[in-house]
Amino acid sequence: MPDSDIVILGTGIHPFGRFDKTPEDLGVHAARQALGEAGLEWSDIQAAYLTRMYLPATSGARILRRLGSSDISIVDIEAACASGGAGLRQAVLAIRSGEVDTALVLGVEKMPRGFMDPSMIYADWQVRMGLSMNPAYWSMRARRHMHEFGTTEEQIARVAWKNHRNSVENPNAMYRKAFTMEQILASKPVCDPIRLLEICAPNDGAAAVVVTTARRARQLGGEPVAIEACAHTVARYSADFRCPADSMSATISNPGPTRVTSQKAYEQAGCGPDDIDCFEVQDTDAFCEIEICEQLGLCERGEGGPMAEEGHTEIGGRCPVNMSGGLISKGEPVGASHLGQVVEIVSQLRGRSGARQVEGARVGLAHVLGAGGNCAVTILAA
Amino acid sequence: MGDETAAGKLLPVNEGLVTGTDNEPRDVQLLGSKCDRCGEVSLGANAVCLNCGSDRITGIRLAPEGELWTYTVIRHRPPGGYLGPDPFEPFAIGLVELPDGIRVMAPLAGDVDSFEIGCRLRLEPWILQSRDGPAYRAFRFAAVAG
C-alpha cells in the first residue's frame, strides 16, 4: 500500500439517538471533540464541510459560527446516505490541491421519527400510488436475492442479531440491546421479508473528523490514521433499483454502485478486500449487509447469506463487519452516518475499541449507499 | 375507489405516463420511450434516452402483460399523500417485467399472499380519488385469470 499523504488526526462523535438538542448542539459537540483530539483550535481550520440531508441551507455556517468567527470556505454537502463520504472526499481534494492543509468535515442530522418524508426524493405520482416507502425497495432486493441464491430469512436475521449484539458495547449507539434470533424473527414485518428488528431508524447525531497532511501531523504529534482512499459515485443507468427508481432495464445490467465505488477505492489504496481487517458497511436493513459483503468482494455473489450464518462477519471472524453495531442499532442520522463509521474505523485502527476491538486491525473500510445509488467508500490505515 | 368515477375530471397520475381519457378510464396503457440510437426502452415520455442520452426518441405504448420479477408487501400506510384505500389495507408492490425489455414498479391488486416471482400479471386502471382535490387515472397490475 502506498504511503498516504493525507491523514485523519482527530475524530469526534455525538452519540446517535433522539435528543432534545439543536443541530448546533450536536455539531459543536462533535467538532470540538475532533479538534481537541487533533490538538488544534477552530482558527487552525482552513476549510470546512458540513454534510447533511435534512438540515436547511447554510447549516454549515450556522453551526460552525458557534465555534467562533472565521472567513474560511464553509460548504454544505448533500449526497443522500453517502453525504459524509462526499464531504470527506472534498476535504481530501482541497488538501491535495495544496490550497489548504487542514480541514474539518462535520456530519450533522436531526430527523423526524418514522418513515422518511417521501417528497424529498419521490415524484408526486409515486407518493399517490404508495410507491414511496424506502424499506419496500430494500425488501424487493432481498426477495430477488432469496429467489436467485436461496438466501434465507434466518440468514438475514443473523445479520440483525450480530449487529444488535455488537452495539451493546458501543456507547454511541441508540439501542444497545441484544435480541435473540427468535425475537428478531418474531418481530413484525415492515415490508416482507424485512422485519422491524432488521431495519435502521432515522435519528439525530453528529460526527466529525479533522483532516490534514501527513507532514503537518508529524509536526503536531498525536495518532494520525492515513486516508488511503475516499471515493464517491452515483450509480449508472439501471445499475440499481434503489429508491426512488420507478423502473429498471431488463436488458442492461451495469455493475452496482458498491462494486464500482469500491473498485475505485481499492485502486486508490493499492489493495483489495483481502488486505482489509475490518469493515463498517451500510445496513439500512439486515439484507443490505449481505449484498454489500458480496459487492465489496468479501465473498462470491450469492454467498453473503451463508457467510453471515457461519459467523465470518462477527468480531473474531474472518472479516468482521459493523463492529459498532451498524445502522440497525445505532440509527441512521443520514448526513452523519459515514463519518460515524469513519470514527469507528479510526478507533479500531488505534486499538481503542475495547470489547468490540478487532485484534491487530491495521486497515479498515467504511461504506455507505443510499437514494439514487449514491455510494461512498473510504479506506483507512494505521 | 370504483373502477370509474361518475362525475369529475380524471387527471393522469403523471403527465406522459398513462394513456386514457375521462370517458374511457379502462383504456389505461403505460407510455414508454424507445431510443432510436441504442434501442433502450424507458418508462414515460422522456425527452432523452436515460441510457445513452440521445434525443432521438420514439414514443411507444408498453405491453400490458408481463411477469413478476420481485415484490414486497407494504404493511404500514406509506408516508405522505398516499391515495389508496382508507382505512389502510396492506398491499403488494413489485417490479413487473414487460416484453419491451423494461421492469416497471407498480402496485399489485389482490391478495397480498397470492404472488410469487414469475407469475403472470396484466395492467389495469386504478382510479385514485384525493380527499378534496382531483381524481387520478393511475395503474396497477393484477393476476391474469386462469
Side-chain angles (χ1 to χ4, degrees):
Chain A
M1 212 173 282
D3 280 343
S4 172
D5 52 342
I6 298 175
V7 302
I8 291 172
L9 192 57
T11 61
I13 189 164
H14 185 288
F16 294 0
R18 295 198 176 97
F19 305 97
D20 185 20
K21 292 184 179 182
T22 64
E24 286 82 357
D25 297 336
L26 301 170
V28 165
H29 177 102
R32 281 224 173 97
Q33 212 178 71
L35 288 166
E37 205 181 273
L40 292 171
E41 305 287 333
W42 168 236
S43 56
D44 295 315
I45 298 297
Q46 297 158 337
Y49 303 88
L50 189 283
T51 66
R52 52 83 183 162
M53 183 170 178
Y54 276 73
L55 298 184
T58 71
S59 284
R62 296 186 212 199
I63 292 170
L64 289 169
R65 75 172 160 224
R66 301 293 183 93
L67 294 175
S69 175
S70 82
D71 51 12
I72 62 170
S73 170
I74 299 175
V75 185
D76 285 21
I77 291 186
E78 187 276 314
C81 303
S83 298
L88 181 57
R89 178 171 173 273
Q90 289 303 314
V92 168
L93 293 175
I95 293 170
R96 190 156 288 152
S97 79
E99 191 190 294
V100 305
D101 72 13
T102 305
L104 175 76
V105 190
L106 170 63
V108 183
E109 210 71 87
K110 187 165 183 68
M111 301 171 71
R113 275 172 189 268
F115 298 112
M116 289 161 70
D117 174 7
S119 66
M120 287 183 73
I121 55 173
Y122 295 96
D124 288 348
W125 70 271
Q126 293 176 296
V127 175
R128 291 177 192 132
M129 286 172 58
L131 300 173
S132 61
M133 193 184 262
N134 295 359
Y137 293 74
W138 315 335
S139 299
M140 284 186 276
R141 300 188 73 82
R143 174 74 70 196
R144 185 70 200 178
H145 199 271
M146 291 165 77
H147 175 77
E148 287 185 24
F149 302 109
T151 307
T152 66
E153 292 188 40
E154 286 74 18
Q155 289 167 345
I156 295 171
R158 180 69 184 244
V159 172
W161 174 84
K162 167 182 69 74
N163 292 356
H164 282 299
R165 191 187 59 170
N166 286 353
S167 78
V168 172
E169 304 292 346
N170 183 359
N172 296 315
M174 178 159 70
Y175 292 125
R176 303 191 68 189
K177 184 173 184 323
F179 295 92
T180 64
M181 282 289 287
E182 291 72 24
Q183 286 173 315
I184 291 164
L185 286 165
S187 67
K188 285 190 301 187
V190 176
C191 291
D192 308 24
I194 301 298
R195 300 164 193 286
L196 190 60
L197 289 176
E198 297 173 334
I199 63 169
C200 74
N203 64 359
D204 311 342
V209 294
V210 171
V211 185
T212 190
T213 59
R215 184 191 160 122
R216 177 113 165 90
R218 277 192 297 275
Q219 294 164 353
L220 288 163
E223 292 182 284
V225 164
I227 302 176
E228 299 289 341
C230 184
H232 168 247
T233 68
V234 178
R236 291 181 76 87
Y237 171 71
S238 210
D240 198 70
F241 65 91
R242 211 158 293 277
C243 59
D246 60 19
S247 59
M248 68 182 289
S249 177
T251 59
I252 295 175
S253 116
N254 281 314
T258 294
R259 201 167 280 285
V260 170
T261 316
S262 62
Q263 281 305 323
K264 274 186 201 246
Y266 292 146
E267 278 167 30
Q268 283 177 21
C271 75
D274 294 345
D275 302 311
I276 295 170
D277 305 309
C278 58
F279 300 81
E280 287 281 314
V281 312
Q282 184 84 24
D283 60 334
T284 33
D285 65 290
F287 166 73
C288 187
E289 182 178 307
I290 287 176
E291 189 181 35
I292 298 309
C293 286
E294 295 175 7
Q295 294 182 349
L296 288 175
L298 308 190
C299 62
E300 294 296 316
R301 193 157 173 254
E303 291 299 314
M307 183 176 164
E309 192 166 39
E310 290 159 18
H312 297 304
T313 53
E314 292 172 23
I315 296 167
R318 178 168 66 80
C319 35
V321 177
N322 285 328
M323 301 74 65
S324 69
L327 307 179
I328 285 176
S329 65
K330 286 187 294 192
E332 188 189 16
V334 172
S337 65
H338 187 69
L339 297 173
Q341 294 175 325
V342 166
V343 170
E344 174 70 16
I345 297 286
V346 167
S347 153
Q348 291 281 345
L349 301 184
R350 287 170 171 168
R352 293 176 186 273
S353 291
R356 57 182 202 284
Q357 179 67 43
V358 173
E359 282 307 313
R362 303 284 301 164
V363 185
L365 179 150
H367 161 277
V368 276
L369 173 62
N374 263 287
C375 183
V377 172
T378 299
I379 299 176
L380 304 173
Chain B
M1 191 196 56
D3 287 333
E4 297 176 44
T5 50
K9 203 168 158 57
L10 279 177
L11 300 176
V13 72
N14 196 45
E15 283 301 325
L17 186 61
V18 290
T19 64
T21 64
D22 288 356
N23 298 331
E24 286 294 341
R26 288 181 177 281
D27 184 34
V28 165
Q29 291 181 60
L30 288 175
L31 295 170
S33 302
K34 187 175 177 65
C35 177
D36 295 342
R37 187 161 79 183
C38 75
E40 186 65 13
V41 169
S42 55
L43 178 66
N46 297 314
V48 294
C49 173
L50 303 183
N51 182 45
C52 76
S54 167
D55 59 2
R56 289 181 293 132
I57 300 286
T58 302
I60 61 169
R61 293 183 175 203
L62 300 179
E65 206 171 300
E67 283 186 1
L68 189 57
W69 193 76
T70 188
Y71 67 100
T72 185
V73 179
I74 295 191
R75 301 278 175 185
H76 303 270
R77 187 175 192 85
Y82 170 57
L83 297 181
D86 193 8
F88 175 75
E89 295 166 12
F91 65 107
I93 71 170
L95 274 168
V96 182
E97 183 164 328
L98 304 177
D100 306 281
I102 186 172
R103 300 179 189 127
V104 176
M105 199 75 76
L108 308 178
D111 178 0
V112 297
D113 296 318
S114 66
F115 299 101
E116 54 184 41
I117 288 174
C119 70
R120 297 288 303 170
L121 298 167
R122 188 173 177 85
L123 190 74
E124 66 173 33
W126 190 27
I127 307 304
L128 296 173
Q129 177 65 56
S130 57
R131 187 176 289 269
D132 301 312
Y136 295 99
R137 194 167 61 245
F139 63 93
R140 57 187 180 182
F141 282 84
V144 174

